[in-house]
């Protein structure tokens, strides 16, 4: 409910300059960071998530930070956070692969995308995306070269 988020925003504004506060505030800030991310308020989401101390830097919070940084075009920073996580979600791996591609780390982009390329929906999305279609073409080219190399050996 967005009304509660407004209250959490007010709480954040009051508390953001304090050194320490109650754990229930931190829980409210996690909800607030998620809500702002969902509303595409990426800068606000990132500011709130960064306020949380280390013991509240959960997988979910770090993922919000990584994705918000990506959406803000800060690909290298996004990668730094993504690499701290063990990512299972294919959409998140797609985002990491694209971040690698956008930061000119082509091999990492290819290696990451290869993990999810068998998902037809993701492959179609990649082929429609300017950055990721290049990665798909490179992977397909590499596979073709490997097949030709294998056939010559027979």
């Amino acid at each position: 409910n967005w009304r509660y988020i407004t209250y959490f925003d007010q709480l954040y504004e009051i508390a953001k300059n304090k050194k320490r506060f109650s754990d229930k505030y931190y829980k409210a800030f996690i909800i607030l960071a998620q809500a702002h991310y969902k509303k595409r308020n990426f800068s606000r989401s990132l500011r709130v998530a960064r306020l949380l101390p280390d013991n509240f830097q959960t997988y979910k919070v770090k993922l919000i930070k990584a994705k918000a940084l990506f959406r803000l075009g800060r690909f290298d920073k996004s990668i730094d956070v993504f690499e701290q996580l063990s990512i299972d979600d294919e959409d998140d791996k797609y985002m990491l692969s694209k971040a690698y591609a956008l930061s000119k780390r082509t091999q990492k982009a290819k290696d990451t995308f290869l993990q999810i390329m068998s998902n037809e929906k993701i492959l179609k999305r990649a082929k429609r995306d300017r950055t990721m279609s290049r990665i798909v073409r490179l992977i397909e080219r590499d596979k073709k070269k490997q097949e030709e190399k294998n056939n010559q050996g027979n």
Side-chain angles (χ1 to χ4, degrees):
N1 187 329
W2 195 252
R3 183 179 66 181
Y4 294 113
I5 299 306
T6 304
Y7 296 141
F8 291 165
D9 261 328
Q10 292 170 359
L11 179 64
Y12 169 79
E13 288 304 320
I14 292 167
K16 70 181 179 186
N17 294 321
K18 295 186 179 186
K19 297 275 185 219
R20 174 120 179 92
F21 26 82
S22 168
D23 285 358
K24 61 186 170 190
Y25 284 23
Y26 293 128
K27 291 173 185 171
F29 296 155
I30 291 170
I31 294 168
L32 183 61
Q34 290 173 309
H36 278 295
Y37 184 84
K38 286 179 184 173
K39 287 282 191 176
R40 304 183 64 78
N41 300 329
F42 304 122
S43 293
R44 180 72 166 182
S45 177
L46 185 60
R47 279 195 308 274
V48 173
R50 284 183 168 161
L51 177 71
L52 297 165
D54 288 344
N55 60 320
F56 282 90
Q57 291 294 323
T58 62
Y59 178 90
K60 190 182 295 187
V61 171
K62 288 180 182 180
L63 187 60
I64 289 169
K65 286 169 43 177
K67 291 165 82 168
L69 286 162
F70 176 89
R71 297 288 184 199
L72 292 168
R74 298 170 61 191
F75 306 116
D76 289 322
K77 294 274 187 197
S78 174
I79 291 167
D80 291 344
V81 179
F82 267 125
E83 287 180 340
Q84 296 172 22
L85 305 172
S86 178
I87 303 168
D88 291 326
D89 183 82
E90 290 184 340
D91 288 324
D92 296 337
K93 283 186 181 184
Y94 179 90
M95 186 179 279
L96 174 57
S97 179
K98 188 169 181 175
Y100 282 134
L102 289 165
S103 66
K104 309 290 189 245
R105 301 185 209 180
T106 303
Q107 189 59 50
K108 287 262 200 184
K110 289 182 348 185
D111 293 344
T112 304
F113 192 73
L114 274 168
Q115 297 171 27
I116 57 173
M117 192 171 174
S118 62
N119 180 321
E120 225 16 76
K121 183 178 152 192
I122 286 182
L123 183 57
K124 284 181 184 177
R125 181 176 13 153
K127 286 181 175 182
R128 289 189 309 265
D129 181 276
R130 179 187 308 194
T131 301
M132 293 307 291
S133 64
R134 185 179 137 271
I135 297 302
V136 171
R137 284 192 307 275
L138 289 171
I139 290 170
E140 289 171 344
R141 184 198 69 198
D142 292 349
K143 282 184 180 180
K144 187 176 179 181
K145 281 182 180 178
Q146 186 62 43
E147 288 171 4
E148 288 172 357
K149 188 177 179 181
N150 291 344
N151 288 338
Q152 289 175 350
N154 292 335

